[in-house]
Amino acid sequence: MANTSHNQQSASKASTTQHRRRGKELEADILASTLNLIEQTKYEEITMDMIAKRAHTNKSVLYRRWDSKADIVLAALRTQTTDLAMKMRQTPNTGSLEGDLRTLFDWICTLLTSMHYANIIGLMRERLGGISMRDYFDKFARKNFLSQMVRTFFEHASERGEVDLTHFDEVLYDLPALVLMDAFYATDDTTIDRPRLDHILSDILMPVYRPFLKAEDREAR
Amino acid sequence: MANTSHNQQSASKASTTQHRRRGKELEADILASTLNLIEQTKYEEITMDMIAKRAHTNKSVLYRRWDSKADIVLAALRTQTTDLAMKMRQTPNTGSLEGDLRTLFDWICTLLTSMHYANIIGLMRERLGGISMRDYFDKFARKNFLSQMVRTFFEHASERGEVDLTHFDEVLYDLPALVLMDAFYATDDTTIDRPRLDHILSDILMPVYRPFLKAEDREAR
DNA sequence: ACTTTTAAGGTACTTTAGTCTCTAATATTA
DNA sequence: TAATATTAGAGACTAAAGTACCTTAAAAGT
C-alpha cells in the first residue's frame, strides 16, 4: 500500500523541485528502504547511514521516529508480516483449537516454501541474529504475529467453551514462536519442511495444549 | 623513544614487584573481574575498557583470548554456572526421567531463592538483554548447563530403556531453557517461585515428554 | 500575505567495539 | 648466561550507533 507514489525525480543534487517528504509518506519510504536493505544485507552490516541514504534522507530523521536500529528494522519487518497476514486473509476460525493451529502451520509451511519467502529462515538466522535478546523479548515475543494469533485461537476456544484456561500460563501463547525460533536457529540443516512442522505441532505443541481442552473435546488423535 | 611509559607501575597499586600475570592466571583474573562487573552493571553499560581496567590489564589482552564482548561475558558466566553445578554435586540420576527433571527444577528453585542468586532474573533481564539472538543461540542455546543436563537425563533414560527416542526432536532438549527464558523475560511481576516452576514442569514440560516414555513407565503422575 | 510552528536536512561530535602495531617483560631453549 | 620465542602492555586508529544543534522547507494559524 502507498507504494512508491513519488519517485525521486532527480537522484542527484541537481534537483530543481525538491518536494520535501513529510509524515507518513516519508515514513513509508524509509521502511520500504529498510526492508529492501534487509533482504540483501545482514542486520549488523546495515548501518543507519545506509538506511538514511537509500531513503534519500538522513540519520536525524530516523532517530526522530525510532529509538534504535533494532526498532526501525523490526518496524520494517512488521509491515511485511502485516502485509502477509492480509494475504493470508484473516485469523483462522475452523471451530476447533487444533484446526486453527493446523491452519496456521499450513500458512507457515506455504510461506516457507513460497518463492518469495524461501530464504526467510536464512533471513532470520543470518540477517536478524544481531538483534538483542532484550529487543526480541520486548518488541517481538508475545507481540509477534504468531503469538498474537495463538492467543486469539485460545480466546475463540474459550468463548466456544472448548478450553478451560483456569491454570493456563501466558508462556503457552508464545510457545509455538519459541519452538519455531529454536528450530530455525539451532537446526544445522535448515530444512524446516512440512513433516518437521507437522511433527512440531503434533508431538510438541498439541501434547501441551491438549490437557487444557475440556474432557469431551479431547478424543481427537 | 622518549615516551613516558615507565611511570605506569606506580600509577595504580604501589606494587613494587611487577609480577606480570600470564596464561591461566591472567585469564582467571579477567573472568573474575568480568563477573564482578556484571553483578553490578548491565551488559550494554559494560565496556571492554572497563573490564580491562578492572583486571589491571588491557583491551588487547582481552581480544587475544575472546572474540567479542558477548564471548567474554558468557565465558565469565559459564565459570559461575560450572561453579554452581559443582555446588549442586553432579548430574542427578534418580532412576526416572521425571525424577531427574524434578531434581533439576528443585536446584533452580534453590538457586532462585538463595541469597546470592536472588537477583539472577534481574540479571538475565536487565544485564544480559543486550546479548544478540545469534550469540544466544550459537553460544548458549543447547550448550547451556540446563539444556546439556536435560540431554543427559534423556541419555540415561534411553540407556535404562525408559524412553523411546525414535521420533524425538532436538528442540526438546532446549525446551526447558526456552520456556524458562520466556518466563524470566516476559513476566512482568518477576516472581518465578516454586509453584510457578512446579507448574511449568508439570503442565508444560511433562506433557511433552511423557509421550516418549515407554508405555509401562507412563503411569506416573 | 505574514507569522509561527513543526518537521526535514545537514553536519559535527561522542562513545565504544574491535583492529593494528609497536614495545617490554617473561618464559624457553641452547 | 645469552639468544629466541611468547605473550602482556600501551596507545593510536577505524567504524558505526547515537546525540546535539543549527538551518531550511513547508504546514498551520493569523
Side-chain angles (χ1 to χ4, degrees), chain B residues 19-188:
Chain B
H19 176 53
R20 186 180 275 193
R21 295 158 302 173
R22 290 193 150 215
K24 285 292 166 195
E25 183 196 0
L26 180 56
E27 184 169 321
D29 280 2
I30 293 168
L31 290 180
S33 298
T34 308
L35 205 52
N36 198 300
L37 264 173
I38 216 169
E39 275 160 9
Q40 313 166 0
T41 318
K42 65 166 76 167
Y43 180 79
E44 35 306 41
E45 282 168 5
I46 295 174
T47 71
M48 293 302 263
D49 281 320
M50 283 166 72
I51 296 176
K53 196 169 182 186
R54 175 164 305 214
H56 299 284
T57 183
N58 146 327
K59 219 161 52 148
S60 315
V61 174
L62 305 187
Y63 280 105
R64 239 170 250 140
R65 284 155 204 275
W66 298 277
D67 287 340
S68 66
K69 184 174 143 183
D71 258 36
I72 188 169
V73 169
L74 291 175
L77 229 62
R78 244 183 318 261
T79 67
Q80 189 72 338
T81 53
T82 308
D83 198 56
L84 183 79
M86 294 298 189
K87 281 200 198 89
M88 295 294 195
R89 298 173 311 278
Q90 63 283 76
T91 308
N93 199 338
T94 61
S96 85
L97 180 71
E98 182 159 358
D100 289 349
L101 285 167
R102 291 210 176 275
T103 309
L104 176 61
F105 270 66
D106 271 353
W107 286 3
I108 294 170
C109 192
T110 308
L111 185 156
L112 290 180
T113 52
S114 74
M115 287 304 291
H116 190 233
Y117 295 100
N119 57 359
I120 203 166
I121 295 172
L123 191 146
M124 292 191 63
R125 288 188 59 154
E126 282 165 32
R127 309 234 221 286
L128 298 179
I131 286 174
S132 74
M133 298 288 287
R134 170 172 307 115
D135 284 325
Y136 172 73
F137 277 101
D138 284 0
K139 293 167 188 157
F140 229 60
R142 294 187 190 183
K143 288 191 184 64
N144 68 57
F145 177 59
L146 222 85
S147 300
Q148 292 294 166
M149 199 155 259
V150 172
R151 176 183 291 269
T152 308
F153 295 166
F154 273 92
E155 280 161 8
H156 289 168
S158 181
E159 284 160 20
R160 284 193 302 267
E162 187 185 353
V163 293
D164 174 16
L165 300 184
T166 326
H167 299 102
F168 204 75
D169 191 302
E170 295 271 316
V171 170
L172 293 167
Y173 297 133
D174 212 24
L175 200 61
L178 279 176
V179 170
L180 287 176
M181 186 72 92
D182 190 84
F184 287 161
Y185 268 96
T187 303
D188 287 332

Side-chain angles (χ1 to χ4, degrees), chain A residues 103-139:
Chain A
T103 309
L104 175 61
F105 270 65
D106 271 353
W107 287 2
I108 295 170
C109 193
T110 308
L111 184 155
L112 290 180
T113 53
S114 74
M115 287 303 289
H116 190 233
Y117 295 100
N119 56 358
I120 202 165
I121 296 172
L123 191 145
M124 291 193 64
R125 288 187 58 156
E126 279 164 34
R127 308 233 223 286
L128 298 179
I131 286 175
S132 74
M133 296 291 285
R134 171 171 308 114
D135 285 325
Y136 172 73
F137 277 102
D138 285 359
K139 292 166 189 157

